[in-house]
Amino acid sequence: ALGQLWLAGVEVDWSGFYTHEHRHRIPLPTYPFERQRYWIEPPQARDDNSLTPVSLEKKPDIADWFYMPCWKQSVPPRPIKQKELASQKSCTLVFMDECGLGTQLIEGLQKDNQEVITVKVGAEFTKINESLYTLNPQQSNDYNTLLTELRQQEKLPTKIVHLWNVTPVTQAQSKLTEVEKIQEIGFYSLLFFTQSLGKQNLSEQLQITVVSNNMQPVTGEEVLSPEKATLLGPVKVIPQEYPNISCRSIDVVLPSIGSWQQQRLTDQLLTELRLPIFERVIAYRGSHRWLQTFEAVQLEESVEQTPRLREGGVYLITGGLGGIGLVLAKHLAKTVRAKLILIGRSAFPARHEWDSWLATHEETDSTSRKILKVQELEELGAEVLVISADVANLAQMTDAIAQAQQQFGALHGVIHAAGVPGGGVIQRKTQGEAQSILTPKVKGTLVLNTILKDVQLDFLLLTSSISSILGAFGQVDYTGANAFLDIFTHHKTSQQNSLTLCINWGTWQEVGMAVNTARPKELQEWYIESLQQGILPEEGVDALMRIFRSSLSQVVVSPTDFLSLLKQQNTDSDLLSRLEKVNISKPKHPRPELNNAYVAPRNEIEQKLADIWQQLLGLEQVGIHDNFFELGADSLVGVQLISRLKQELQVKISINDIFRSPFVAELALIVELIIIKELDELTEEEAQKLVLDISSK
Ligand SMILES: NC(=O)c1ccc[n+]([C@@H]2O[C@H](COP(=O)([O-])OP(=O)(O)OC[C@H]3O[C@@H](n4cnc5c(N)ncnc54)[C@H](OP(=O)(O)O)[C@@H]3O)[C@@H](O)[C@H]2O)c1
């Protein structure tokens, strides 16, 4: 008790405490000094952050909701000495670039006594020799073959250095034709590789370092390749979905080959690679190391009611019939009697059909609601043209913009609000699913940019999200898509003297995708509660007017403290603890009718698994041959199971295990194998302790 008090900072009167005892000093250490260092590993960034409580209070003054990205110079990490490195021997997998950076890095890694496996882009999977492979980035199976091969050779990597986004720099980036190729070697390569890692059921800590060049606007003078920025989706979301993988992005500018500056860059990267991952977004420019941070900025209420807007101006809004699109359209209608072009993919009846549509459909019908909204805009003074087109389709958008210009004349502003919410963990994500989320933002922006390249706009407003910075569980594609918008803004600003503006919106309440997206039932209550801290439509408009008045080009709008959210970005503990609370109070339901009969657990592990599933699903019984997904589980429940197994049996399974073996009986075998493998590696004493620990839980 006294020790606890001392730890808590209480001043203890030690002389009083020892009054009746004879004390004397002894020399330390009492053992031979062996000069062997025992490194105390600094805690991983995620551990630090999970301790920080996040304030979810909505700030009362909108002026306090704004943050801007900045780059802060940071002290380069201290190089580790050669001797210390010998004890850190591990296998590193290098996704090799074609600019020579990888070649130098590999030499350095080998000098560090690291085993290096290299993988190059090729037409198909090929084993060139024991440590050199090629694979086709588009073939997800090639990544599986690579890892299976490495497992057979007992050379599964613990460090991965992904250099495929280090590419030759050309001024003419951001071309529609380039974008898909860059996604293949960037976003999809990381997605497929992570899925393959997931299938390997690794429990070791893994580090993925994704190196790119010319992706981050650190100095404002770089030639930028915003297409690469989607890789930030995997960098942010992989650690949120795979607790044993940490990721970082390091952006560089390539010095000329063979120069001393290239050697310096190699040394800088080697030093980073030798250390655990603490920071998520890093950049090197010359001798300087930079970290991305965010700073609060106060934006006072706009004195002008309509900054940057023209009376009777012509404004095109993609996603114009969506939640945020319609709110902004209403403001433009009300304040400047704008001429509005609203674009969405869904079919929309021609004007002469509106009355009959309204007469024959319920008011709750989504098209009826849109017709009524458009009529409201017109009553407020706007002229409205609704066009059905896909923003990512160059031909459809060329026609749409030609039609708009013919009807209203030159465009004055564009709001790109088309977007689709993401959903689904990396392990289950198909290329098609990810593409549908990336396309409207990535290709859509490039299509608009191509068509409008000679149009001098008053503004181009891109609607990004705070998830591009924070990442979001189950949203690797949405995170990447919005990261593209952020960096495209800086690219465009460096190229053209007109306003391109990107807003990283926090969640909106009352309208839009956050309200309309279906949530897993376990999270419904929490979402309803957290939505109340979101941006109300009139607050969103107010925020936009304040931003229009400022000269900022990328702004975060977050009613809750964004800097606290940022500190917590590496942890999913908030989500998990909420899920756990929800389940404790969950009522018990009888086991639903399934095609298979109930079979009771036959041993302790099956019983443990069945108990956990029963609690998570709120069921009275789960049989050993019941399919979890038929019982109502989803990936979030799966993540809870992983966390419970880690807590209760000290066993780490992957989300892929659950998808592959969604039955108590099958999963119990996997758990058993893991326990046997772990026991094999322990001393007899440690093994007995582990068995006692497990059986006492
Ligand atoms: N709501 C939020 O809390 C929030 C927060 C941060 C950022 N954002 C961003 O703000 C923007 C607007 O969001 P919202 O909440 O208003 O979403 P929303 O209500 O779902 O509206 C999005 C609109 O985009 C249209 N759309 C999607 N893909 C398209 C494509 N390829 N071409 C043309 N139109 C397309 C959809 O219409 P069709 O299906 O008919 O095409 C839909 O009407 C999105 O980009 C979103 O990522 C929203």
Side-chain angles (χ1 to χ4, degrees):
L2 196 60
Q4 293 292 339
L5 285 170
W6 178 76
L7 271 178
V10 172
E11 283 283 331
V12 180
D13 177 4
W14 294 110
S15 52
F17 180 68
Y18 293 125
T19 310
H20 305 295
E21 292 183 43
H22 293 289
R23 300 265 138 193
H24 55 269
R25 288 177 190 275
I26 55 162
L28 285 175
T30 56
Y31 48 85
F33 210 85
E34 286 180 325
R35 301 211 170 274
Q36 194 166 347
R37 299 189 72 166
Y38 290 90
W39 288 102
I40 300 173
E41 290 297 341
Q44 298 273 323
R46 74 173 109 229
D47 294 336
D48 282 341
N49 295 335
S50 62
L51 298 173
T52 318
V54 166
S55 157
L56 280 177
E57 289 284 299
K58 185 169 175 174
K59 295 187 193 170
D61 187 351
I62 296 182
D64 299 328
W65 292 8
F66 305 93
Y67 302 82
M68 60 177 258
C70 352
W71 289 89
K72 187 180 77 176
Q73 205 178 319
S74 96
V75 181
R78 185 182 61 86
I80 292 189
K81 297 203 184 87
Q82 208 72 24
K83 252 196 203 161
E84 292 163 13
L85 287 167
S87 60
Q88 296 186 5
K89 188 168 168 54
S90 62
C91 187
T92 305
L93 178 63
V94 178
F95 287 78
M96 186 74 157
D97 65 310
E98 288 177 358
C99 298
L101 186 62
T103 318
Q104 277 204 334
L105 271 180
I106 289 172
E107 276 173 28
L109 288 166
Q110 283 166 340
K111 274 192 207 146
D112 285 354
N113 199 21
Q114 300 290 298
E115 172 111 46
V116 180
I117 313 286
T118 307
V119 56
K120 293 184 173 178
V121 173
E124 58 184 5
F125 176 81
T126 321
K127 178 176 176 179
I128 294 172
N129 60 45
E130 295 280 292
S131 56
L132 178 60
Y133 296 84
T134 65
L135 63 74
N136 182 337
Q138 280 175 283
Q139 296 298 325
S140 58
N141 215 22
D142 281 8
Y143 297 87
N144 295 333
T145 317
L146 173 71
L147 288 180
T148 309
E149 172 74 29
L150 294 182
R151 178 179 276 270
Q152 275 162 9
Q153 289 184 37
E154 297 187 357
K155 284 186 184 167
L156 275 175
T158 49
K159 289 185 185 173
I160 295 98
V161 188
H162 191 283
L163 300 171
W164 283 359
N165 288 272
V166 176
T167 59
V169 181
T170 55
Q171 289 286 336
Q173 299 284 337
S174 299
K175 277 199 196 146
L176 270 168
T177 44
E178 293 282 308
V179 71
E180 260 142 42
K181 193 172 156 263
I182 294 178
Q183 301 318 302
E184 280 164 21
I185 55 170
F187 179 90
Y188 290 112
S189 149
L190 289 164
L191 182 83
F192 296 152
F193 178 65
T194 308
Q195 290 174 339
S196 301
L197 278 178
K199 287 182 188 159
Q200 293 293 328
N201 299 328
L202 303 172
S203 51
E204 293 84 359
Q205 285 295 325
L206 304 180
Q207 277 189 15
I208 303 183
T209 304
V210 185
V211 184
S212 56
N213 64 323
N214 295 66
M215 184 183 79
Q216 293 286 11
V218 180
T219 63
E221 305 209 325
E222 299 93 341
V223 174
L224 292 176
S225 305
E227 307 80 2
K228 292 181 184 173
T230 50
L231 68 82
L232 290 167
V235 167
K236 308 251 163 117
V237 179
I238 291 170
Q240 293 171 336
E241 294 187 18
Y242 299 80
N244 65 322
I245 308 183
S246 38
C247 283
R248 72 186 140 199
S249 151
I250 306 183
D251 190 57
V252 302
V253 168
L254 286 182
S256 51
I257 296 181
S259 61
W260 66 267
Q261 288 92 339
Q262 191 191 22
Q263 187 56 51
R264 176 179 61 191
L265 178 60
T266 308
D267 292 342
Q268 288 162 333
L269 292 174
L270 282 170
T271 307
E272 294 280 351
L273 291 174
R274 287 167 192 149
L275 294 166
I277 293 179
F278 298 118
E279 291 113 356
R280 203 44 75 80
V281 182
I282 305 165
Y284 276 94
R285 297 290 182 267
S287 59
H288 294 158
R289 181 181 193 261
W290 299 89
L291 296 178
Q292 191 184 41
T293 61
F294 286 80
E295 266 183 23
V297 275
Q298 281 254 327
L299 295 184
E300 296 304 332
E301 201 170 350
S302 170
V303 274
E304 291 164 80
Q305 204 200 354
T306 56
R308 291 196 193 272
L309 302 178
R310 299 182 189 216
E311 183 63 30
V314 181
Y315 300 105
L316 179 138
I317 309 180
T318 70
L321 290 170
I324 295 180
L326 276 170
V327 169
L328 302 183
K330 188 171 170 185
H331 181 73
L332 293 168
K334 212 164 54 178
T335 54
V336 293
R337 301 192 311 127
K339 299 183 175 65
L340 297 169
I341 305 104
L342 307 181
I343 296 202
R345 291 162 306 173
S346 309
F348 193 73
R351 188 174 287 271
H352 66 269
E353 292 166 339
W354 290 0
D355 287 342
S356 67
W357 185 284
L358 290 174
T360 52
H361 293 82
E362 297 284 328
E363 268 192 30
T364 50
D365 168 74
S366 85
T367 306
S368 301
R369 282 212 310 253
K370 287 176 189 166
I371 296 173
L372 291 169
K373 286 279 183 192
V374 172
Q375 288 179 333
E376 188 190 341
L377 295 176
E378 292 184 331
E379 277 158 27
L380 286 167
E383 287 178 56
V384 184
L385 174 63
V386 178
I387 302 178
S388 299
D390 182 339
V391 68
N393 184 315
L394 184 62
Q396 287 181 14
M397 283 305 289
T398 306
D399 282 353
I401 290 177
Q403 197 187 332
Q405 285 171 334
Q406 199 183 7
Q407 184 154 339
F408 294 139
L411 289 180
H412 297 123
V414 172
I415 299 173
H416 182 26
V420 181
V425 289
I426 291 173
Q427 201 60 43
R428 300 283 283 174
K429 185 122 345 204
T430 63
Q431 181 162 7
E433 282 164 351
Q435 204 160 2
S436 65
I437 313 296
L438 290 173
T439 301
K441 300 228 175 202
V442 179
K443 209 167 162 205
T445 307
L446 295 176
V447 163
L448 286 171
N449 191 44
T450 305
I451 303 172
L452 300 171
K453 67 179 185 306
D454 298 321
V455 179
Q456 188 64 30
L457 295 171
D458 295 343
F459 62 85
L460 165 63
L461 168 61
L462 303 175
T463 54
S464 180
S465 154
I466 54 168
S467 67
S468 72
I469 303 152
L470 302 174
F473 189 95
Q475 307 255 357
V476 66
D477 34 22
Y478 188 70
T479 302
N482 285 301
F484 167 80
L485 294 183
D486 300 352
I487 294 184
F488 178 83
T489 304
H490 295 275
H491 160 72
K492 184 81 180 151
T493 305
S494 68
Q495 285 205 324
Q496 220 175 40
N497 189 23
S498 63
L499 178 70
T500 302
L501 177 63
C502 173
I503 303 185
N504 298 87
W505 291 108
T507 308
W508 281 51
Q509 52 175 314
E510 293 188 1
V511 297
M513 57 174 65
V515 180
N516 297 329
T517 306
R519 304 283 176 202
K521 54 193 178 311
E522 298 85 354
L523 288 176
Q524 201 53 31
E525 216 176 292
W526 171 48
Y527 270 106
I528 291 170
E529 192 192 310
S530 62
L531 268 182
Q532 284 164 11
Q533 311 302 320
I535 302 164
L536 285 163
E538 58 276 18
E539 292 170 338
V541 168
D542 181 345
L544 175 61
M545 291 307 118
R546 292 173 195 239
I547 296 168
F548 266 161
R549 231 183 105 230
S550 76
S551 54
L552 299 170
S553 56
Q554 187 190 345
V555 191
V556 172
V557 180
S558 173
T560 52
D561 183 27
F562 182 70
L563 300 180
S564 303
L565 291 172
L566 199 59
K567 277 193 197 144
Q568 246 208 358
Q569 70 170 313
N570 299 344
T571 173
D572 52 15
S573 61
D574 189 40
L575 184 68
L576 285 177
S577 63
R578 274 166 203 283
L579 280 166
E580 271 154 24
K581 271 187 218 140
V582 172
N583 279 299
I584 289 164
S585 56
K586 216 167 181 186
K588 286 259 180 284
H589 300 292
R591 173 178 175 271
E593 282 287 316
L594 298 176
N595 287 335
N596 56 297
Y598 170 78
V599 178
R602 299 162 297 186
N603 55 44
E604 261 185 62
I605 295 183
E606 286 185 353
Q607 186 63 58
K608 185 97 226 159
L609 278 168
D611 287 349
I612 299 176
W613 275 117
Q614 280 166 210
Q615 284 165 22
L616 294 178
L617 296 168
L619 294 175
E620 282 163 1
Q621 269 187 331
V622 170
I624 60 166
H625 301 307
D626 296 354
N627 184 322
F628 303 143
F629 298 106
E630 284 174 22
L631 292 172
D634 53 29
S635 30
L636 279 172
V637 180
V639 172
Q640 283 173 278
L641 174 77
I642 294 172
S643 142
R644 293 282 296 270
L645 284 179
K646 217 162 79 186
Q647 275 168 25
E648 297 187 21
L649 298 183
Q650 282 127 58
V651 167
K652 276 191 201 166
I653 61 163
S654 70
I655 193 90
N656 195 49
D657 289 327
I658 303 174
F659 286 122
R660 238 182 8 194
S661 312
F663 309 95
V664 166
E666 288 187 8
L667 212 51
L669 285 178
I670 295 178
V671 170
E672 226 168 281
L673 284 175
I674 298 175
I675 294 177
I676 291 171
K677 189 169 162 257
E678 276 177 10
L679 287 174
D680 269 356
E681 287 164 10
L682 298 179
T683 62
E684 202 165 316
E685 207 178 307
E686 286 169 332
Q688 270 177 2
K689 185 174 176 304
L690 182 69
V691 172
L692 277 176
D693 275 359
I694 292 174
S695 43
S696 66
K697 287 197 173 150

